[in-house]
């Protein structure tokens, strides 16, 4: 599953063809153009991997450009988080960090040029009137009464719009295209609006701001982008971008649209994610349940696993939902190779080994990673009082339950066979508070010399040595598979999963984890992969996030696929 050969897809086929035709002298230049109005999510990762990946593959360059034309929603903290996330994913834009706001002067001059060419005019209609006159898919729009203003008058008014002579929203600059064009975006779209808003970079320098549609294509052109890769919803904008570039007569990037990524049981829209943060439905952008890069990082995902995922899902022209299980499988496969195994008990049940000496402590050798002998071994202490997992014992087990039960023998990993001889309960509640067991000293290391078999191997910790810990288990953020696809106007938050977080505060982990560094990753035997929380963990009291369980449904699906080949 690792990345070896770059994947072929329709975009690389287009680029190959352009190179064959010596278009742009064979150069390839792409860009990742986020708007700094939120944190990046896994959908953006797809775009990042694609744009930076293609640039690397064709020995070209990829720019990082902030498309920051919306002063009300953009902030410098988002710029910083975006840079951190792109870097963390493993990509480098070197000195090519650009901002659409750095082009405001040039975009203004482009607009003046269009006016002079008779291709843009100042319109006095307000936003409601403009949209009311736009028409519909079946009805043509109506022409603005100001559409035939002279070039001189529009130039004068545009200058005065910039100078602050008119109130917000009272005038716009519009392209002069065709009010009966079948594509509604071509019906004299707005290029500039008046807004007295403070911009996080240009401060109060500008009173007029370009629309996204006006800024985007021209910014690509100014940067000499050869292949402007964007998501499918921009397909209908392409004729507009073509029109603008052609009338300005400037470098014309080739726009290519691909299907945006949707992942099951989550939403990938910054607006919705921001709403979850603002309403306190999650603890922040970096809540480990969030599909944001910062959330995935805190959860324990690795850059390599996200890159592999983006490579595996491919690039298509049709929208579809990718199963979250695929992302989980990618991180499992990555972590499996190098993450050390340890033992931790999530819901401890006290076990007293009645025939083990009171004051004896043994150091037993445990393997750090059976997949990687080079990772060596460590010692774990064993003593008379242990904890095992509460759910590994049943007093009255059903047929298929092979773990510990009264009178039954099981193996403790790296230790001994033990047999349950007595169950102690709280006399009032009836709750099981302790098990009394015997151990067989001849089974040290977990093997029986007489060939006796047991059907289960349990993880455990020594009560006196174990470290108290908190462990956070996660389920999907939403209960609905297509949580991101709910109709406009319906309550998408109704599908939030009330059980997406389970915090277990009474856990006990082996002593080697006492000072596990924040961000370090571990496999708890039988329980999954865990990452030490970077915010809440403290020396002596670690907090672990479960990245993913060990359960791997995809392995079976892939195996079945191979068998069918
Ligand atoms: P959102 O819908 O989450 O607000 P956006 O498209 O408005 O996303 P931008 O900051 O404009 O966010 O996105 C930057 C780049 O990332 C764009 O080129 C966009 O096409 C791409 N992108 C955003 N979401 C996805 C996605 N789900 N799958 C693939 N690419 C995406
Ligand atoms: Mg966008």
């Amino acid at each position: 599953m690792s990345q070896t050969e770059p994947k072929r897809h329709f975009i690389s086929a287009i680029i190959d063809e352009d190179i064959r035709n010596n278009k742009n002298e064979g150069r390839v230049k792409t860009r990742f153009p986020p708007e700094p109005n939120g944190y990046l999510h896994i959908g953006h990762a797809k775009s990042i991997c694609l744009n930076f990946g293609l640039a690397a593959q064709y020995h070209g360059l990829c720019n990082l450009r902030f498309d920051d034309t919306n002063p009300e929603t953009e902030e410098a903290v988002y710029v910083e988080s975006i840079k951190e996330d792109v870097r963390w994913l493993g990509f480098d834009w070197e000195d090519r960090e650009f901002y659409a706001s750095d082009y405001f002067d040039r975009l203004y001059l482009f607009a003046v040029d269009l006016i002079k060419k008779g291709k843009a005019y100042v319109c006095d209609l307000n936003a409601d009137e403009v949209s009311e006159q736009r028409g519909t898919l079946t009805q043509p729009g109506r022409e603005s009464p100001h559409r035939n203003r002279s070039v001189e008058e529009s130039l004068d008014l545009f200058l005065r719009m910039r100078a602050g002579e008119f109130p917000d929203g009272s005038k716009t600059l519009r392209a002069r295209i065709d009010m009966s064009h079948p594509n509604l975006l071509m019906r004299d779209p707005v290029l500039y609006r008046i807004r007295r808003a403070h911009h996080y970079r240009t401060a109060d320098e500008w009173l007029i701001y370009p629309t996204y549609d006006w800024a985007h294509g021209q910014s690509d052109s100014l940067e000499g982008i050869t292949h402007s890769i964007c998501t499918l919803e921009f397909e209908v904008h392409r004729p507009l971008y073509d029109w603008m570039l052609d009338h300005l007569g400037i470098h014309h990037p080739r726009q290519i649209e691909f299907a945006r990524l949707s992942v099951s049981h989550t939403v990938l829209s910054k607006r919705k994610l921001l709403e979850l943060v603002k309403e306190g439905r999650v603890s922040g952008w970096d809540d480990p349940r969030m599909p944001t890069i910062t959330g995935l990082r805190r959860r324990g995902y690795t850059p390599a696993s996200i890159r592999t995922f983006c490579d595996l899902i491919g690039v298509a022209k049709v929208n579809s939902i990718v199963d979250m299980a695929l992302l989980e499988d990618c991180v499992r496969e990555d972590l499996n190779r190098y993450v050390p195994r340890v033992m931790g008990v999530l819901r401890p049940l006290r076990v007293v080994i009645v025939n083990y000496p009171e004051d004896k402590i043994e150091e037993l050798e445990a393997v750090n990673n059976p997949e990687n002998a080079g990772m060596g071994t460590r010692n774990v202490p064993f003593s008379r009082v242990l904890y095992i997992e509460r759910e590994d014992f049943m007093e009255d087990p059903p047929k298929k339950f092979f773990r510990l039960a009264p009178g039954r023998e099981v193996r403790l990993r790296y230790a001994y066979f033990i047999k349950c001889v007595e169950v102690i309960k709280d006399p009032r509640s009836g709750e099981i508070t302790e098990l009394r067991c015997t151990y067989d000293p001849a089974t040290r290391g977990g093997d029986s010399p007489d060939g006796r078999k047991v059907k289960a191997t349990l993880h455990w910790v020594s009560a006196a040595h174990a470290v108290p810990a908190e462990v956070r288990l996660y389920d999907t953020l939403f209960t609905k598979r297509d949580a991101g696809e709910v109709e406009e106007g319906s309550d998408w938050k109704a599908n939030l999963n009330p059980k997406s977080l389970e915090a277990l505060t009474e856990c006990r982990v082996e002593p080697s984890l006492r000072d596990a560094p924040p961000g370090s990753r571990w496999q708890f035997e039988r329980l999954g992969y865990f990452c030490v929380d970077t915010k809440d963990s403290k020396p002596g009291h670690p907090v672990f996030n479960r990245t993913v369980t060990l359960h791997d449904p995809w392995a079976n699906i892939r195996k079945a696929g191979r068998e069918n080949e």
Side-chain angles (χ1 to χ4, degrees):
M1 217 157 78
S2 59
Q3 284 166 316
T4 42
E5 287 276 291
K7 247 203 167 128
R8 315 297 308 170
H9 43 67
F10 76 95
I11 299 183
S12 51
I14 290 173
I15 296 178
D16 288 341
E17 182 200 300
D18 285 348
I19 289 175
R20 265 199 309 279
N21 296 331
N22 202 32
K23 206 171 160 188
N24 307 302
E25 294 81 45
R27 266 184 322 116
V28 172
K29 193 162 189 193
T30 57
R31 83 289 174 263
F32 172 62
E35 185 183 352
N37 61 352
Y39 282 67
L40 298 181
H41 53 60
I42 184 79
H44 295 111
K46 176 174 179 176
S47 175
I48 293 167
C49 291
L50 184 59
N51 280 295
F52 279 93
L54 285 169
Q57 182 182 340
Y58 290 96
H59 309 290
L61 297 171
C62 180
N63 292 353
L64 175 63
R65 183 181 70 247
F66 294 93
D67 261 345
D68 52 355
T69 55
N70 243 327
E72 283 97 347
T73 55
E74 295 159 2
E75 290 178 37
V77 286
Y78 296 135
V79 170
E80 290 314 310
S81 75
I82 289 169
K83 292 201 292 191
E84 183 185 358
D85 289 349
V86 175
R87 222 176 272 127
W88 180 77
L89 282 171
F91 299 102
D92 186 2
W93 59 93
E94 296 168 325
D95 58 350
R96 296 179 311 283
E97 178 177 322
F98 300 115
Y99 295 81
S101 55
D102 285 347
Y103 308 143
F104 280 173
D105 278 309
R106 297 169 83 177
L107 292 169
Y108 177 82
L109 292 176
F110 282 147
V112 168
D113 185 36
L114 265 201
I115 299 172
K116 285 184 178 163
K117 287 173 171 159
K119 294 295 170 192
Y121 61 95
V122 170
C123 175
D124 301 352
L125 301 180
N126 63 33
D128 288 342
E129 288 162 337
V130 168
S131 75
E132 191 258 320
Q133 298 199 356
R134 185 172 293 125
T136 63
L137 285 174
T138 50
Q139 278 184 329
R142 274 178 289 143
E143 294 191 350
S144 159
H146 318 108
R147 194 173 199 265
N148 295 318
R149 248 177 190 151
S150 70
V151 167
E152 290 68 32
E153 193 183 356
S154 277
L155 275 178
D156 175 59
L157 289 171
F158 189 48
L159 200 81
R160 288 161 60 196
M161 277 167 66
R162 179 180 181 176
E165 287 191 27
F166 309 114
D168 282 12
S170 62
K171 291 188 192 322
T172 56
L173 181 73
R174 296 176 68 182
R176 198 161 182 277
I177 310 181
D178 179 358
M179 285 309 290
S180 53
H181 200 286
N183 182 342
L184 270 68
L185 294 170
M186 298 293 272
R187 294 183 185 171
D188 291 11
V190 171
L191 309 182
Y192 272 91
R193 58 240 140 135
I194 309 173
R195 272 202 220 169
R196 285 169 173 75
H198 186 85
H199 188 281
Y200 78 101
R201 289 187 91 242
T202 58
D204 301 309
E205 187 187 342
W206 290 88
L207 304 172
I208 55 171
Y209 286 95
T211 55
Y212 181 86
D213 277 343
W214 178 246
H216 187 74
Q218 276 63 263
S219 299
D220 277 351
S221 175
L222 286 171
E223 290 177 15
I225 301 304
T226 58
H227 298 87
S228 171
I229 298 166
C230 56
T231 40
L232 281 183
E233 66 271 25
F234 287 98
E235 194 163 7
V236 290
H237 295 245
R238 177 149 39 94
L240 174 59
Y241 297 173
D242 288 344
W243 184 94
M244 292 168 170
L245 294 165
D246 289 344
H247 283 89
L248 291 170
I250 55 177
H251 166 70
H252 197 142
R254 179 169 187 169
Q255 177 170 314
I256 308 168
E257 305 87 12
F258 70 100
R260 65 191 293 120
L261 171 66
S262 301
V263 177
S264 68
H265 302 100
T266 192
V267 296
L268 295 185
S269 141
K270 281 183 286 187
R271 182 179 58 78
K272 287 181 179 168
L273 296 173
L274 177 63
E275 209 170 311
L276 296 179
V277 171
K278 280 196 170 153
E279 291 180 4
R281 310 275 188 142
V282 292
S283 63
W285 286 99
D286 65 351
D287 187 304
R289 293 167 292 180
M290 290 279 270
T292 50
I293 303 301
T294 181
L296 292 168
R297 173 164 64 232
R298 188 168 168 199
R299 174 89 168 248
Y301 275 84
T302 58
S305 66
I306 295 174
R307 290 195 304 263
T308 303
F309 172 75
C310 291
D311 192 46
L312 274 180
I313 56 178
V315 183
K317 267 282 188 190
V318 185
N319 286 320
S320 63
I321 301 179
V322 176
D323 214 295
M324 185 69 92
L326 184 62
L327 181 58
E328 294 179 346
D329 193 34
C330 290
V331 75
R332 236 178 239 124
E333 194 148 325
D334 184 28
L335 297 177
N336 181 47
R337 293 180 291 119
Y338 57 84
V339 164
R341 274 56 168 169
V342 290
M343 290 196 286
V345 175
L346 303 187
R347 298 173 184 87
L349 174 59
R350 194 178 143 92
V351 170
V352 178
I353 312 288
V354 290
N355 58 340
Y356 196 86
E358 296 260 3
D359 48 5
K360 186 170 170 181
I361 298 163
E362 281 179 276
E363 293 288 339
L364 301 175
E365 189 176 69
V367 177
N368 286 334
N369 188 344
E371 307 274 328
N372 183 346
M375 286 175 65
T377 61
R378 69 188 184 288
N379 287 337
V380 285
F382 184 89
S383 64
R384 182 179 157 94
V385 183
L386 312 169
Y387 290 118
I388 64 164
E389 207 68 65
R390 201 159 262 282
E391 65 180 38
D392 280 338
F393 175 81
M394 279 186 93
E395 196 175 14
D396 188 13
K399 243 189 162 145
K400 293 246 161 102
F401 186 89
F402 299 117
R403 293 169 269 167
L404 198 58
R408 189 182 288 172
E409 191 172 48
V410 297
R411 175 188 296 111
L412 293 182
R413 184 84 156 137
Y414 306 122
Y416 294 100
F417 285 12
I418 62 164
K419 184 190 245 177
C420 177
V421 293
E422 193 184 349
V423 180
I424 312 290
K425 293 182 186 171
D426 180 318
R428 268 171 311 184
S429 67
E431 194 200 357
I432 299 169
T433 52
E434 183 179 305
L435 303 178
R436 300 268 162 96
C437 296
T438 56
Y439 86 116
D440 177 356
T443 57
R444 191 175 201 268
D447 280 317
S448 143
D450 60 11
R452 201 160 84 240
K453 293 266 185 287
V454 288
K455 283 196 170 151
T457 301
L458 310 185
H459 59 273
W460 53 274
V461 292
S462 164
H465 304 89
V467 177
E470 177 175 336
V471 173
R472 296 170 185 169
L473 305 180
Y474 300 102
D475 195 357
T476 55
L477 189 51
F478 289 83
T479 51
K480 204 166 178 280
R481 181 177 151 81
D482 55 351
E485 319 273 297
V486 295
E487 292 163 35
E488 209 47 47
S490 74
D491 183 14
W492 57 277
K493 283 175 286 186
N495 301 315
L496 274 166
N497 179 2
K499 298 194 180 122
S500 56
L501 166 64
E502 186 181 8
L504 303 171
T505 54
E506 306 288 318
C507 312
R508 294 285 187 280
V509 297
E510 66 171 70
S512 70
L513 293 173
R514 183 179 305 279
D515 299 317
S520 60
R521 301 181 177 92
W522 309 89
Q523 187 199 101
F524 286 11
E525 297 218 12
R526 301 174 66 222
L527 299 174
Y529 291 97
F530 295 76
C531 181
V532 179
D533 193 74
T534 44
K535 274 197 171 160
D536 300 334
S537 204
K538 297 195 177 56
H541 190 89
V543 176
F544 294 89
N545 295 309
R546 179 151 71 186
T547 310
V548 68
T549 61
L550 296 179
H551 171 63
D552 181 6
W554 278 87
N556 296 332
I557 293 168
R558 275 203 317 274
K559 212 165 108 206
R562 275 201 291 272
E563 278 160 9
N564 290 338
E565 270 165 14

